[in-house]
């Protein structure tokens, strides 16, 4: 860890906001003006909009993550968690992956912890649920789904087979609709290589407590998205919750019950609960309360943005909604990070800071290969796209938004190669327990059965 006497800008979190804010600050700073330190339990940033395609095998896991040390070479990267922040002393306590916790002093602080999955105390969910917030979960979901097909192909037990081929997804927003669309595509393509498993044998269920899917793209495209999923044999149940899923026995509030080995939870996000330990002013839903300048209310040296911040939506308020807040999405996070970086440098130099003001440019969603919806906002005009053209817009937007040219090129190259290749259906479930085979081989061999029997006989004679 650096021991320089320069002012330190401490960035808590290495996600989208943390990465882009650090890059912006380093770009705007003069040489040796300050030390930029980024703390995150992972040494890479994950581009979450690509997780559904990763789960489907359209993008390699390595290409949806960006190594922080390569993306921000001028910053100090600490792999660990910030457990407490002492605002009076301006000191943060960092718990590294190994070893004792230590203190890191700072002069300026950026809170960019992002969000975590919003869960409920549903019986059985913690034991059997699969999230979709990290690349590890996307890899795990892909391997898990393909393993279920292997199980169904290899068993003669109809109950085991039915449970393996039932896939339940909870949450109909971007993450849920995109993930079930991509995974259904994966399973449909994979089934072509199985003799005893067909798409007709599988059951896909999408559940949401709201009365619509894909609310981010508006009601018209949301209805289209639902009908499209249903046309592919996916059961969609809206205004429905999942009260229980103990041991994979799914019980829905509409009375439906089903047994499933695959329960994917994408029912929204909530601010990182670690924020409650930092002594910062929080909004009613747990977000850090910030001003339009992305500065934490009541402070002049702390900033916050992204999914963990409650940022006023100045465009919405100017249009007559006095309680408008910026939604937690990648579009706002990317733009907030740049304004935040500029404001940190301005605040450090004592210059005026700028307001964050950004009008919604629309939303895009992919529902599988060559399928999607998109709403493009151009002034007062809204352009609504469906099908293949919307899918191109989805890939184009996120391909350009992917951080670093290295990863942009890799993702686009992979998309291009996949145009001429069949989808890979290899399941690498052993990745979760890579040492198991070696452990079994390295265990002491058991004594031969005859030698054991002879010892027993000798003991019997002696007695």
């Amino acid at each position: 860890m650096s021991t320089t006497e320069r002012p330190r800008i401490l960035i808590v979190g290495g996600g989208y906001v943390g990465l882009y804010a650090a890059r912006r600050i380093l770009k705007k700073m003069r040489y040796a003006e300050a030390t930029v330190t980024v703390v995150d339990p992972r040494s890479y940033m994950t581009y979450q909009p690509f997780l559904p395609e990763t789960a489907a095998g359209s993008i390699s896991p390595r290409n949806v993550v960006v190594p922080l040390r390569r993306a921000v070479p001028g910053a100090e990267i600490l792999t660990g968690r910030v457990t407490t922040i002492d605002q009076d002393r301006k000191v943060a306590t960092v718990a590294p992956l190994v070893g004792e916790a230590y203190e890191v002093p700072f002069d300026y602080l950026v809170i960019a912890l992002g969000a975590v999955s919003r869960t409920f105390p549903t019986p059985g969910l913690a034991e059997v649920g699969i999230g979709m917030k990290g690349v590890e979960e996307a890899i795990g979901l892909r391997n898990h789904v393909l393993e279920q097909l292997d199980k169904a192909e290899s068993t003669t037990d109809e109950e085991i087979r039915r449970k393996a081929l039932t896939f339940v997804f909870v949450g109909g927003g971007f993450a849920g609709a995109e993930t079930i669309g991509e995974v259904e595509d994966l399973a449909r393509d994979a089934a072509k290589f199985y003799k005893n498993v067909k798409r007709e044998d599988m059951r896909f269920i999408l559940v949401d407590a709201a009365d619509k899917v894909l609310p981010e793209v508006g009601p018209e495209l949301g209805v289209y998205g639902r009908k499209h999923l249903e046309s592919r044999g996916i059961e969609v149940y809206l205004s429905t919750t999942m009260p229980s899923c103990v041991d994979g026995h799914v019980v829905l509030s509409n009375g439906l019950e089903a047994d499933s080995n695959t329960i994917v939870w994408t029912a929204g996000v909530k601010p990182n609960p670690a924020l409650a330990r930092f002594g910062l002013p929080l909004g009613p839903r747990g977000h850090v309360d910030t001003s339009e300048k992305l500065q934490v209310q009541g402070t002049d040296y702390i900033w916050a943005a992204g999914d963990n911040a409650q940022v006023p939506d100045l465009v919405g308020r100017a249009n007559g909604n006095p309680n408008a807040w910026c939604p937690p999405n990648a579009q706002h996070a990317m733009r907030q990070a740049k304004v935040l970086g500029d404001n940190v440098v301005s605040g450090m130099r004592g210059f005026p800071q700028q307001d964050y003001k950004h009008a919604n440019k629309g939303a895009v969603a992919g529902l599988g290969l060559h399928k999607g919806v998109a709403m493009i906002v151009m002034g007062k005009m809204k352009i609504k796209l469906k099908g293949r053209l919307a899918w191109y817009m989805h890939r184009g937007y996120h391909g350009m938004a992917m951080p670093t040219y290295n990863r942009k090129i890799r993702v686009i190259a992979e998309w291009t190669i996949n145009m001429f290749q069949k989808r890979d259906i290899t399941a690498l479930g052993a990745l979760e327990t890579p040492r198991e085979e070696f452990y079994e081989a390295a265990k002491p061999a058991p004594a031969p059965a005859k030698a054991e029997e002879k010892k027993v006989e000798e003991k019997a004679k002696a007695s």
Side-chain angles (χ1 to χ4, degrees):
M1 190 175 63
S2 174
T3 58
T4 178
E5 295 299 325
R6 292 178 291 179
R8 173 180 273 115
I9 302 169
L10 178 63
I11 301 176
V12 183
Y16 217 119
V17 170
L19 171 66
Y20 267 94
R23 286 163 66 95
R24 188 74 169 189
I25 291 168
L26 289 167
K27 179 180 179 181
K28 295 289 184 176
M29 273 194 332
R30 293 186 290 266
Y31 176 73
E33 186 176 0
T35 298
V36 176
T37 301
V38 181
V39 182
D40 195 276
R42 293 180 175 85
S43 61
Y44 54 85
M45 170 267 193
T46 302
Y47 189 68
Q48 293 180 351
F50 279 156
L51 292 183
E53 289 198 57
T54 303
S58 297
I59 303 177
S60 299
R62 186 175 297 174
N63 292 337
V64 301
V65 297
V66 179
L68 294 176
R69 289 182 174 85
R70 182 168 182 172
V72 198
E76 179 181 61
I77 308 297
L78 303 180
T79 307
R81 298 180 184 276
V82 172
T83 56
T84 60
I85 293 175
D86 188 330
Q87 295 185 47
D88 295 330
R89 296 171 51 219
K90 288 191 176 182
V91 167
T93 302
V94 175
L97 295 182
V98 293
E100 302 255 339
Y102 54 86
E103 292 186 339
V104 177
F106 61 84
D107 297 275
Y108 306 95
L109 182 65
V110 174
I111 304 297
L113 282 176
V116 299
S117 294
R118 182 184 62 192
T119 58
F120 304 101
T122 303
L125 180 61
E127 291 75 21
V128 300
I130 302 172
M132 273 295 286
K133 284 290 292 175
V135 67
E136 302 86 357
E137 292 171 316
I139 300 170
L141 177 59
R142 169 181 164 76
N143 291 329
H144 175 83
V145 168
L146 293 174
E147 282 184 345
Q148 301 314 302
L149 303 188
D150 290 340
K151 287 181 181 179
E153 175 84 353
S154 308
T155 186
T156 57
D157 188 315
E158 279 303 315
E159 185 177 343
I160 293 175
R161 178 182 168 87
R162 185 167 52 252
K163 190 172 183 179
L165 295 180
T166 300
F167 307 94
V168 180
F169 291 72
V170 183
F174 269 155
E178 289 188 318
T179 303
I180 196 171
E182 293 285 356
V183 170
E184 193 273 340
D185 252 6
L186 167 67
R188 183 185 295 272
D189 285 350
K192 298 173 184 176
F193 299 92
Y194 289 79
K195 291 185 177 181
N196 300 319
V197 175
K198 298 180 175 60
R199 171 61 182 91
E200 294 75 23
D201 302 328
M202 306 176 203
R203 186 180 187 185
F204 283 85
I205 300 173
L206 178 64
V207 182
D208 199 296
D211 61 354
K212 60 178 73 70
V213 299
L214 293 170
E216 301 90 344
V217 296
E220 181 182 334
L221 291 178
V223 170
Y224 168 82
R226 175 185 177 177
K227 290 181 177 178
H228 168 77
L229 294 175
E230 290 175 333
S231 71
R232 292 161 59 181
I234 297 172
E235 302 172 39
V236 180
Y237 299 106
L238 302 180
S239 302
T240 304
T241 59
M242 184 180 70
S244 175
C245 58
V246 177
D247 296 330
H249 181 68
V250 175
V251 179
L252 302 184
S253 60
N254 62 1
L256 178 71
E257 297 188 23
D259 290 318
S260 173
N261 288 336
T262 310
I263 301 172
V264 183
W265 186 269
T266 59
V269 297
K270 64 181 180 181
N272 195 307
L275 296 172
R277 302 194 301 267
F278 293 170
L280 301 170
L282 303 180
R285 294 180 297 166
H287 300 80
V288 180
D289 190 11
T290 69
S291 69
E292 60 276 3
K293 293 178 171 53
L294 304 175
Q295 203 158 36
V296 175
Q297 298 286 7
T299 73
D300 60 0
Y301 63 94
I302 307 177
W303 292 261
D307 292 358
N308 69 180
Q310 179 179 272
V311 179
D313 181 0
L314 297 184
V315 174
R317 296 187 179 194
N319 291 333
N321 183 359
N323 297 315
W325 305 96
C326 296
N329 57 34
Q331 181 182 154
H332 279 288
M334 179 173 66
R335 289 168 172 80
Q336 287 173 4
K338 295 178 180 179
V339 175
L340 184 149
D342 290 345
N343 284 352
V344 170
V345 175
S346 296
M348 184 171 58
R349 295 173 180 171
F351 295 157
Q353 300 178 37
Q354 59 179 309
D355 293 343
Y356 173 73
K357 188 175 183 179
H358 170 68
N360 179 33
K361 299 299 183 184
V364 291
L367 299 174
L369 201 61
H370 305 148
K371 300 173 278 286
V373 292
M375 180 183 67
I376 313 301
V377 179
M378 302 179 67
K380 294 184 178 181
M381 182 172 60
K382 292 183 180 180
I383 302 174
K384 300 172 184 177
L385 305 174
K386 308 170 185 175
R388 185 182 288 262
L389 184 56
W391 178 77
Y392 284 133
M393 291 294 297
H394 163 75
R395 281 202 162 181
Y397 173 79
H398 287 298
M400 293 305 296
M402 182 71 190
T404 77
Y405 283 107
N406 178 288
R407 287 303 189 259
K408 291 182 201 292
I409 293 171
R410 288 176 181 271
V411 168
I412 294 172
E414 195 161 20
W415 282 338
T416 304
I417 292 172
N418 288 342
M419 291 172 60
F420 307 100
Q421 300 288 335
K422 291 184 178 180
R423 191 192 301 266
D424 181 61
I425 60 168
T426 307
L428 298 175
L431 283 174
E432 298 178 15
T433 55
R435 292 190 64 254
E436 184 174 358
E437 186 174 345
F438 179 80
Y439 174 75
E440 291 296 327
K443 283 195 306 185
K450 291 183 178 180
E452 290 296 321
E453 291 174 2
K454 187 175 181 180
K455 288 181 181 180
V456 172
E457 289 177 2
E458 290 176 353
K459 286 183 180 180
K461 290 179 180 179
S463 60

